[in-house]
Amino acid sequence: MVSSNKLKSMDFYRKIPRDLTESSISGAGLSIVAALAMMFLFGMELNEYLTISTSTSVIVDNSSDGDFLRIDFNMSFPALSCEFASVDVSDVLGTNRLNITKTVRKFSIDGNLKTTGSEFHTGSVAHAVKHGDDEEGESVEGAMVLNAHNFDNFAHQYPILVVNFYAPWCYWSNRLKPAWEKAATIIRERYDPELDGRIIMAKVDCTEEGDLCKKNHIQGYPSIRIYRKGSDIRDAHGHHDHESYYGDRDTDSLVKTMETLIAPISVESKKLALENKADNATDTMKRPAPRAGGCRIEGYVRVKKVPGNLVISARSGAHSFDSTLMNMSHIIHDLSFGMKINSKVLNDVKRLAPYLGRSHDRLSGREFINRHDVGANVTIEHYLQIVKTEVVSKRSYEHKLLEEYEYTAHSSLVQTVYIPSAKYHFELSPMQVLITENSKSFSHFITNVCAIIGGVFTVAGILDSILHNTIRLMKKVELGKNF
């Protein structure tokens, strides 16, 4: 059994009797300074231990081959009608998706970017538009010619006014012309404008009546509009001023449509044609016409993570466009890549990397206006280079906190021989930024605290010894003692 004396011999901290020690004012002052220094350094070390540290590295993008990238957008086009606005996506792998509607919403807007009604529904055409190309016989001018002076009079005179807005140079207008004139002649004979007075078919040459066509928001040729008498006094709660016809363009189809329109209207009353509730096949061929000449387009698309294009332009398989009159000026309210990030999550992650979130919507709030200084046929192009950023935490177990896509943008106005458009060329970087949250060891914190206490205590002891011996030396010199 180990004796107590042998055990005491292992004591590293032997005690000196208190009556053999001597206290001093200088030692007390130094002790106070040492204690304050220990507290200050301990606080600094504790703050360092509690502060989150990160490391940033650049690695090869670890996305899998089947991953898709989501593009969210919200843009206003003051001079592009929702009737023909199309969102298209293509990439270098051969993907080519035209006129995406499932995840895209459109709203007609005025010149002040104010929404003029409910959502504009483009609808779908189940088959190619049929034309009366095989019809024979002389083309008889059966449609009434309208201009800016008599248009309003006719619109208020007849319960139903159907107008063909056309351009003589237009291929589709020329294909429609024989059937339109023949149908107008048949309708005029069956429903005499003077005796019956329920319907009249007319036409407007947009090359001569540009202001009238612009007033009616005509951007594609031919555009067939259906005006109902009195619709101009009922524009609240989403009611439209007129409708657009997208059905077949042969004589029989046109005549059938006209007869369907006037069926609910009696000859005697010639009432306002506002309550047409006919449930027939022609309803699928008629849709509310845009109430303004602009369009706000919002929604999202999913694309492969390869270089590609997001294109917004006027598109139709049965209309022509005058490219010299197209203006693709637009205002970007939002354009971002990847899933939307919750603001709370983003704020939490910004504690790790305060610079995050500065470039994920770089173009938001920007305006790109073509004031015709560079001429007509102008396409506005944006070149976007996208970099993926991941934030990973390793505090308890490794998990992903955030995945964000930031981008740089360069824009330009380019003249083109094609229909003007707004193009967004995007390309993802093969590299990604990885931000890792590093955990700190508690044992390292304890070691540093011990080092602080021991170091300050030792340094204070050395300073106290030097100060004490210096004071003693000075006293001996003053007393004249030899040593």
Side-chain angles (χ1 to χ4, degrees):
M1 187 175 180
V2 182
S3 64
S4 60
N5 291 330
K6 289 184 178 181
L7 188 62
K8 288 181 180 180
S9 65
M10 300 178 63
D11 185 4
F12 293 160
Y13 308 101
R14 294 173 181 256
K15 311 301 184 293
I16 300 176
R18 191 175 184 82
D19 56 351
L20 297 180
T21 60
E22 179 184 0
S23 59
S24 64
I25 297 297
S26 60
L30 196 59
S31 298
I32 294 173
V33 172
L36 293 175
M38 289 182 189
M39 294 174 62
F40 174 75
L41 293 176
F42 173 78
M44 295 288 291
E45 183 63 27
L46 179 62
N47 180 68
E48 178 67 19
Y49 174 71
L50 297 177
T51 301
I52 301 172
S53 65
T54 61
S55 60
T56 302
S57 56
V58 178
I59 63 174
V60 176
D61 190 354
N62 56 15
S63 301
S64 63
D65 183 50
D67 285 353
F68 284 83
L69 176 64
R70 172 170 169 152
I71 306 177
D72 287 273
F73 52 87
N74 186 346
M75 310 173 192
S76 293
F77 291 80
L80 175 64
S81 173
C82 288
E83 186 176 12
F84 302 111
S86 173
V87 179
D88 309 328
V89 169
S90 62
D91 61 40
V92 296
L93 296 181
T95 302
N96 193 20
R97 299 162 58 197
L98 304 178
N99 197 17
I100 299 173
T101 57
K102 186 175 181 180
T103 57
V104 176
R105 304 175 67 195
K106 303 174 186 176
F107 300 87
S108 293
I109 58 174
D110 58 21
N112 297 320
L113 307 184
K114 299 292 185 180
T115 303
T116 59
S118 58
E119 180 181 354
F120 183 89
H121 295 280
T122 304
S124 59
V125 179
H127 62 283
V129 176
K130 179 182 177 182
H131 289 77
D133 298 327
D134 55 348
E135 297 181 5
E136 298 180 356
E138 296 183 1
S139 178
V140 180
E141 297 291 330
M144 179 66 65
V145 178
L146 299 184
N147 53 45
H149 302 290
N150 61 7
F151 186 90
D152 290 337
N153 293 333
F154 276 83
H156 290 87
Q157 179 180 353
Y158 294 93
I160 298 292
L161 171 64
V162 187
V163 184
N164 171 25
F165 293 89
Y166 71 99
W169 52 263
C170 170
Y171 167 77
W172 299 104
S173 295
N174 291 327
R175 289 189 67 182
L176 170 64
K177 182 178 179 180
W180 185 262
E181 298 294 348
K182 188 174 180 179
T185 301
I186 294 174
I187 293 298
R188 179 184 290 271
E189 293 173 353
R190 293 182 184 178
Y191 309 96
D192 187 275
E194 300 296 333
L195 301 178
D196 186 282
R198 287 181 291 172
I199 187 172
I200 189 170
M201 296 177 66
K203 59 184 178 181
V204 174
D205 184 350
C206 287
T207 60
E208 296 182 358
E209 301 293 335
D211 292 338
L212 178 60
C213 293
K214 184 177 181 180
K215 178 183 176 182
N216 288 274
H217 318 301
I218 304 300
Q219 294 184 4
Y221 311 108
S223 289
I224 301 176
R225 295 283 198 260
I226 302 171
Y227 296 84
R228 303 179 185 275
K229 182 179 178 181
S231 61
D232 56 337
I233 64 173
R234 187 179 176 189
D235 56 356
H237 309 293
H239 290 287
H240 52 271
D241 292 335
H242 46 269
E243 296 167 307
S244 292
Y245 173 76
Y246 298 96
D248 290 332
R249 297 175 182 174
D250 62 295
T251 302
D252 292 340
S253 298
L254 291 172
V255 172
K256 182 179 178 182
T257 299
M258 303 307 143
E259 292 183 333
T260 303
L261 291 173
I262 64 173
I265 307 174
S266 63
V267 180
E268 293 79 11
S269 62
K270 296 184 183 179
K271 62 181 180 180
L272 300 184
L274 295 173
E275 304 296 339
N276 187 2
K277 302 295 183 180
D279 51 348
N280 49 69
T282 60
D283 284 346
T284 62
M285 303 175 186
K286 299 193 282 36
R287 292 191 296 272
R291 304 183 65 188
C295 188
R296 177 166 60 85
I297 306 174
E298 63 178 42
Y300 70 92
V301 294
R302 286 162 50 92
V303 298
K304 296 178 182 178
K305 291 186 175 182
V306 295
N309 301 292
L310 171 68
V311 181
I312 299 177
S313 63
R315 179 181 296 279
S316 174
H319 295 81
S320 298
F321 303 96
D322 187 350
S323 59
T324 62
L325 300 179
M326 301 293 293
N327 188 336
M328 295 305 297
S329 298
H330 57 276
I331 297 91
I332 301 176
H333 307 293
D334 174 57
L335 179 63
S336 58
F337 297 84
M339 296 298 295
K340 286 289 187 180
I341 303 173
N342 184 282
S343 57
K344 182 178 183 300
V345 174
L346 185 59
N347 290 333
D348 290 342
V349 173
K350 278 188 174 182
R351 295 185 296 106
L352 303 178
Y355 50 83
L356 277 179
R358 295 180 181 177
S359 300
H360 78 281
D361 57 352
R362 181 179 291 269
L363 288 178
S364 297
R366 296 279 303 277
E367 298 183 1
F368 298 90
I369 307 299
N370 173 23
R371 306 187 188 281
H372 299 291
D373 296 337
V374 295
N377 293 52
V378 174
T379 287
I380 302 177
E381 298 188 355
H382 307 276
Y383 299 88
L384 313 178
Q385 293 180 308
I386 308 166
V387 179
K388 176 183 176 182
T389 300
E390 280 189 6
V391 180
V392 177
S393 174
K394 291 185 176 180
R395 300 194 71 178
S396 54
Y397 58 92
E398 184 170 340
H399 65 285
K400 186 188 299 183
L401 293 178
L402 177 70
E403 180 180 280
E404 183 190 44
Y405 291 86
E406 299 189 339
Y407 64 90
T408 61
H410 303 277
S411 305
S412 64
L413 277 67
V414 181
Q415 286 189 312
T416 177
V417 296
Y418 303 104
I419 298 296
S421 62
K423 292 184 178 180
Y424 298 83
H425 307 277
F426 56 86
E427 182 175 356
L428 281 84
S429 170
M431 312 301 290
Q432 74 169 58
V433 178
L434 180 64
I435 302 174
T436 306
E437 179 185 6
N438 300 318
S439 59
K440 296 181 180 179
S441 171
F442 182 73
S443 60
H444 187 267
F445 168 71
I446 293 297
T447 301
N448 285 351
V449 171
C450 292
I452 288 172
I453 296 174
V456 172
F457 187 82
T458 301
V459 172
I462 295 173
L463 292 177
D464 179 65
S465 177
I466 294 175
L467 182 62
H468 180 70
N469 290 330
T470 302
I471 293 175
R472 287 183 60 190
L473 180 61
M474 292 177 64
K475 287 182 178 180
K476 288 183 179 181
V477 171
E478 290 177 359
L479 295 175
K481 293 182 179 181
N482 296 322
F483 55 95

